[in-house]
Amino acid sequence: QQDYLLPFVEDGTIILIGATTENPYFEVNGALISRSSIFELHPLEKEDIKVLLKRAVYDMEKGMGSYGAVIDEDALDFLADISGGDARNALNAIELGILTTERAIDGKIHITLDVASECIQKRVVRYDKNGDNHYDTISAFIKSMRGSDPDAAIFYLAKLIEAGDIISPCRRLLVIASEDIGLAYPQAISIVKSCVDSCMQLGLPEGRIPLAEATILLATAPKSN
Protein backbone atom coordinates (compact mmCIF):
# COMPACT_ATOMS: atom_id res chain seq x y z
CA GLN A 1 0.00 0.00 0.00
CA GLN A 2 2.81 2.39 0.84
CA ASP A 3 4.65 1.51 -2.37
CA TYR A 4 1.57 2.53 -4.35
CA LEU A 5 1.90 6.09 -3.03
CA LEU A 6 5.50 6.51 -4.15
CA PRO A 7 5.07 7.77 -7.73
CA PHE A 8 2.34 10.22 -6.68
CA VAL A 9 4.43 11.59 -3.84
CA GLU A 10 7.41 11.75 -6.21
CA ASP A 11 5.64 13.84 -8.87
CA GLY A 12 3.81 16.05 -6.36
CA THR A 13 0.31 14.76 -7.06
CA ILE A 14 0.01 13.94 -3.35
CA ILE A 15 1.31 15.97 -0.44
CA LEU A 16 1.53 13.34 2.27
CA ILE A 17 0.94 14.59 5.81
CA GLY A 18 0.56 12.13 8.65
CA ALA A 19 0.86 11.68 12.38
CA THR A 20 1.61 8.44 14.19
CA THR A 21 2.33 7.21 17.69
CA GLU A 22 4.60 4.54 16.18
CA ASN A 23 8.22 5.08 15.20
CA PRO A 24 8.01 5.99 11.49
CA TYR A 25 11.53 4.69 10.87
CA PHE A 26 10.20 1.20 11.62
CA GLU A 27 6.62 1.47 10.39
CA VAL A 28 6.90 3.58 7.23
CA ASN A 29 8.39 2.44 3.92
CA GLY A 30 12.03 3.53 3.64
CA ALA A 31 11.41 5.07 0.20
CA LEU A 32 8.62 7.24 1.66
CA ILE A 33 10.83 8.20 4.59
CA SER A 34 13.53 9.40 2.20
CA ARG A 35 10.99 11.70 0.55
CA SER A 36 9.62 13.03 3.83
CA SER A 37 10.52 15.40 6.63
CA ILE A 38 10.11 13.76 10.05
CA PHE A 39 9.26 15.86 13.09
CA GLU A 40 9.23 14.31 16.57
CA LEU A 41 6.72 15.76 19.02
CA HIS A 42 7.82 15.53 22.65
CA PRO A 43 5.64 15.44 25.79
CA LEU A 44 4.98 18.83 27.35
CA GLU A 45 7.16 19.94 30.24
CA LYS A 46 5.71 20.22 33.72
CA GLU A 47 5.79 24.04 33.61
CA ASP A 48 3.87 24.01 30.32
CA ILE A 49 1.16 21.84 31.88
CA LYS A 50 0.91 24.25 34.81
CA VAL A 51 0.33 27.16 32.43
CA LEU A 52 -2.46 25.22 30.71
CA LEU A 53 -4.06 24.28 34.03
CA LYS A 54 -4.05 27.87 35.27
CA ARG A 55 -5.62 28.98 32.01
CA ALA A 56 -8.27 26.28 32.36
CA VAL A 57 -9.12 27.38 35.90
CA TYR A 58 -8.96 31.18 35.59
CA ASP A 59 -9.43 32.19 31.94
CA MET A 60 -12.97 33.50 31.40
CA GLU A 61 -12.97 32.93 27.63
CA LYS A 62 -10.72 29.92 26.95
CA GLY A 63 -11.15 28.21 30.30
CA MET A 64 -13.65 27.65 33.11
CA GLY A 65 -13.07 30.99 34.84
CA SER A 66 -16.82 31.65 35.04
CA TYR A 67 -17.14 28.80 37.59
CA GLY A 68 -15.18 30.76 40.16
CA ALA A 69 -12.65 28.05 40.98
CA VAL A 70 -9.24 28.39 42.58
CA ILE A 71 -6.45 25.82 42.62
CA ASP A 72 -3.87 25.33 45.37
CA GLU A 73 -0.22 25.36 44.37
CA ASP A 74 0.42 21.82 45.61
CA ALA A 75 -2.60 20.56 43.62
CA LEU A 76 -1.26 22.35 40.56
CA ASP A 77 2.15 20.73 40.98
CA PHE A 78 0.57 17.32 41.51
CA LEU A 79 -1.61 17.45 38.38
CA ALA A 80 1.22 18.85 36.27
CA ASP A 81 3.54 16.07 37.40
CA ILE A 82 1.20 13.10 37.28
CA SER A 83 -0.27 13.93 33.86
CA GLY A 84 2.99 12.71 32.34
CA GLY A 85 3.25 15.50 29.77
CA ASP A 86 -0.26 14.82 28.43
CA ALA A 87 -2.24 18.07 28.30
CA ARG A 88 -5.54 16.30 27.62
CA ASN A 89 -5.10 14.14 30.72
CA ALA A 90 -4.43 17.19 32.89
CA LEU A 91 -7.32 19.21 31.43
CA ASN A 92 -9.76 16.32 31.84
CA ALA A 93 -8.76 16.06 35.49
CA ILE A 94 -9.18 19.77 36.23
CA GLU A 95 -12.54 19.85 34.45
CA LEU A 96 -13.74 16.88 36.50
CA GLY A 97 -12.56 18.58 39.68
CA ILE A 98 -14.36 21.83 38.94
CA LEU A 99 -17.61 20.15 37.89
CA THR A 100 -17.82 17.73 40.84
CA THR A 101 -16.51 19.81 43.79
CA GLU A 102 -18.97 21.61 46.07
CA ARG A 103 -18.51 25.32 46.64
CA ALA A 104 -16.96 26.38 49.92
CA ILE A 105 -18.37 28.94 52.34
CA ASP A 106 -16.63 31.72 50.40
CA GLY A 107 -18.51 30.68 47.25
CA LYS A 108 -15.38 29.39 45.50
CA ILE A 109 -14.64 25.91 44.19
CA HIS A 110 -11.35 24.97 45.84
CA ILE A 111 -9.19 22.49 43.93
CA THR A 112 -7.06 21.09 46.73
CA LEU A 113 -4.49 18.29 46.63
CA ASP A 114 -7.17 15.86 47.84
CA VAL A 115 -9.53 16.91 45.06
CA ALA A 116 -6.76 16.64 42.46
CA SER A 117 -5.76 13.16 43.62
CA GLU A 118 -9.38 12.02 43.30
CA CYS A 119 -9.51 13.27 39.71
CA ILE A 120 -6.46 11.29 38.61
CA GLN A 121 -6.36 7.96 40.42
CA LYS A 122 -3.04 6.85 38.96
CA ARG A 123 -0.44 7.88 36.46
CA VAL A 124 -1.04 6.67 32.93
CA VAL A 125 1.79 4.35 31.93
CA ARG A 126 3.19 5.21 28.51
CA TYR A 127 3.72 1.77 27.11
CA ASP A 128 3.07 0.12 23.78
CA LYS A 129 3.89 -3.58 23.48
CA ASN A 130 4.84 -3.13 19.83
CA GLY A 131 6.53 0.27 19.99
CA ASP A 132 9.56 2.12 21.33
CA ASN A 133 8.25 2.33 24.90
CA HIS A 134 8.22 -1.47 25.13
CA TYR A 135 11.82 -1.81 23.97
CA ASP A 136 12.99 1.13 26.09
CA THR A 137 11.39 -0.36 29.22
CA ILE A 138 12.69 -3.86 28.59
CA SER A 139 16.14 -2.45 27.88
CA ALA A 140 16.11 -0.45 31.12
CA PHE A 141 14.90 -3.55 33.01
CA ILE A 142 17.80 -5.61 31.65
CA LYS A 143 20.44 -2.92 32.18
CA SER A 144 19.29 -2.37 35.77
CA MET A 145 19.87 -6.04 36.60
CA ARG A 146 23.19 -6.07 34.75
CA GLY A 147 24.19 -2.93 36.63
CA SER A 148 23.28 -4.51 39.98
CA ASP A 149 20.62 -1.89 40.75
CA PRO A 150 17.69 -3.77 42.35
CA ASP A 151 15.63 -0.61 42.99
CA ALA A 152 15.70 0.40 39.32
CA ALA A 153 15.07 -3.18 38.21
CA ILE A 154 11.96 -3.43 40.41
CA PHE A 155 10.73 -0.07 39.09
CA TYR A 156 10.91 -1.21 35.46
CA LEU A 157 9.43 -4.60 36.33
CA ALA A 158 6.50 -2.79 37.96
CA LYS A 159 6.05 -0.68 34.84
CA LEU A 160 5.92 -3.79 32.65
CA ILE A 161 3.44 -5.50 34.97
CA GLU A 162 1.30 -2.37 35.25
CA ALA A 163 1.04 -2.39 31.46
CA GLY A 164 -0.14 -6.01 31.60
CA ASP A 165 3.03 -7.62 30.23
CA ILE A 166 4.45 -10.58 32.17
CA ILE A 167 5.75 -12.65 29.25
CA SER A 168 8.56 -10.24 28.35
CA PRO A 169 10.04 -9.95 31.87
CA CYS A 170 9.77 -13.74 32.35
CA ARG A 171 11.80 -14.32 29.20
CA ARG A 172 14.40 -11.66 30.05
CA LEU A 173 14.84 -13.00 33.60
CA LEU A 174 15.69 -16.42 32.20
CA VAL A 175 18.11 -14.89 29.70
CA ILE A 176 19.86 -12.80 32.35
CA ALA A 177 20.14 -15.83 34.68
CA SER A 178 21.93 -17.90 32.06
CA GLU A 179 23.79 -15.21 30.10
CA ASP A 180 24.83 -12.49 32.55
CA ILE A 181 24.93 -14.48 35.81
CA GLY A 182 25.85 -17.87 34.37
CA LEU A 183 28.48 -19.83 36.24
CA ALA A 184 29.12 -16.96 38.66
CA TYR A 185 26.00 -18.27 40.43
CA PRO A 186 24.92 -21.55 38.75
CA GLN A 187 21.86 -21.98 40.98
CA ALA A 188 20.32 -18.72 39.69
CA ILE A 189 18.77 -20.28 36.59
CA SER A 190 16.98 -22.96 38.66
CA ILE A 191 15.63 -20.40 41.13
CA VAL A 192 14.52 -18.01 38.39
CA LYS A 193 12.88 -20.85 36.46
CA SER A 194 10.90 -21.74 39.58
CA CYS A 195 9.87 -18.09 40.03
CA VAL A 196 8.80 -17.79 36.39
CA ASP A 197 6.80 -21.04 36.59
CA SER A 198 5.14 -19.83 39.79
CA CYS A 199 4.22 -16.53 38.12
CA MET A 200 2.68 -18.27 35.13
CA GLN A 201 0.65 -20.58 37.39
CA LEU A 202 -0.47 -17.82 39.73
CA GLY A 203 -1.19 -15.13 37.17
CA LEU A 204 -1.61 -11.51 38.25
CA PRO A 205 -1.66 -9.90 40.73
CA GLU A 206 0.09 -12.56 42.88
CA GLY A 207 2.51 -13.46 40.09
CA ARG A 208 4.31 -10.17 40.60
CA ILE A 209 5.79 -11.49 43.87
CA PRO A 210 7.96 -14.34 42.48
CA LEU A 211 8.94 -12.10 39.55
CA ALA A 212 10.09 -9.42 41.98
CA GLU A 213 12.05 -12.01 43.96
CA ALA A 214 13.76 -13.26 40.79
CA THR A 215 14.54 -9.68 39.74
CA ILE A 216 16.14 -8.79 43.07
CA LEU A 217 18.09 -12.06 43.05
CA LEU A 218 19.58 -11.38 39.62
CA ALA A 219 20.26 -7.71 40.32
CA THR A 220 22.24 -8.55 43.45
CA ALA A 221 23.89 -11.74 42.18
CA PRO A 222 27.54 -11.83 41.01
CA LYS A 223 27.92 -11.33 37.28
CA SER A 224 29.83 -13.70 34.99
CA ASN A 225 32.74 -12.68 32.80
Side-chain angles (χ1 to χ4, degrees):
Q1 292 173 330
Q2 294 186 35
D3 285 338
Y4 182 80
L5 294 173
L6 282 175
F8 304 107
V9 172
E10 187 73 42
D11 65 18
T13 302
I14 292 176
I15 298 176
L16 184 63
I17 302 174
T20 176
T21 57
E22 303 294 334
N23 186 330
Y25 292 102
F26 293 115
E27 302 295 334
V28 179
N29 185 304
L32 276 179
I33 287 289
S34 69
R35 292 164 174 78
S36 306
S37 296
I38 306 296
F39 300 94
E40 183 178 357
L41 304 180
H42 297 278
L44 294 173
E45 297 293 335
K46 181 178 176 179
E47 292 304 314
D48 298 325
I49 298 289
K50 290 175 70 172
V51 170
L52 289 171
L53 287 171
K54 286 181 178 178
R55 184 184 302 160
V57 173
Y58 299 114
D59 195 299
M60 300 294 290
E61 295 181 2
K62 297 181 180 180
M64 303 180 74
S66 60
Y67 284 79
V70 292
I71 184 168
D72 294 350
E73 191 64 30
D74 55 355
L76 189 68
D77 284 333
F78 171 77
L79 288 176
D81 178 58
I82 206 168
S83 61
D86 187 334
R88 183 184 291 110
N89 195 22
L91 292 173
N92 285 342
I94 200 66
E95 181 182 30
L96 180 63
I98 291 174
L99 293 178
T100 60
T101 303
E102 297 288 337
R103 293 186 183 277
I105 298 175
D106 61 3
K108 298 284 188 180
I109 297 173
H110 289 269
I111 306 299
T112 63
L113 181 58
D114 288 340
V115 171
S117 62
E118 285 294 318
C119 295
I120 295 185
Q121 293 296 323
K122 60 181 180 179
R123 185 187 302 271
V124 176
V125 177
R126 287 199 294 271
Y127 184 83
D128 180 351
K129 290 182 181 178
N130 298 313
D132 286 349
N133 289 320
H134 167 75
Y135 296 107
D136 290 345
T137 305
I138 282 291
S139 177
F141 178 56
I142 295 167
K143 289 175 181 176
S144 298
M145 287 185 287
R146 284 177 178 162
S148 300
D149 189 340
D151 291 332
I154 286 293
F155 170 79
Y156 290 110
L157 173 67
K159 187 172 181 180
L160 290 163
I161 293 174
E162 180 71 12
D165 185 5
I166 61 171
I167 300 299
S168 296
C170 283
R171 292 182 67 251
R172 299 318 304 178
L173 285 167
L174 290 168
V175 170
I176 292 289
S178 56
E179 182 179 16
D180 294 272
I181 308 303
L183 296 179
Y185 182 25
Q187 294 86 357
I189 185 66
S190 298
I191 299 172
V192 171
K193 181 64 166 61
S194 297
C195 290
V196 167
D197 289 344
S198 297
C199 173
M200 300 308 292
Q201 290 178 354
L202 289 169
L204 293 177
E206 291 86 354
R208 74 191 190 283
I209 300 170
L211 285 190
E213 291 169 348
T215 297
I216 294 170
L217 173 76
L218 296 182
T220 56
K223 306 304 186 288
S224 174
N225 292 323

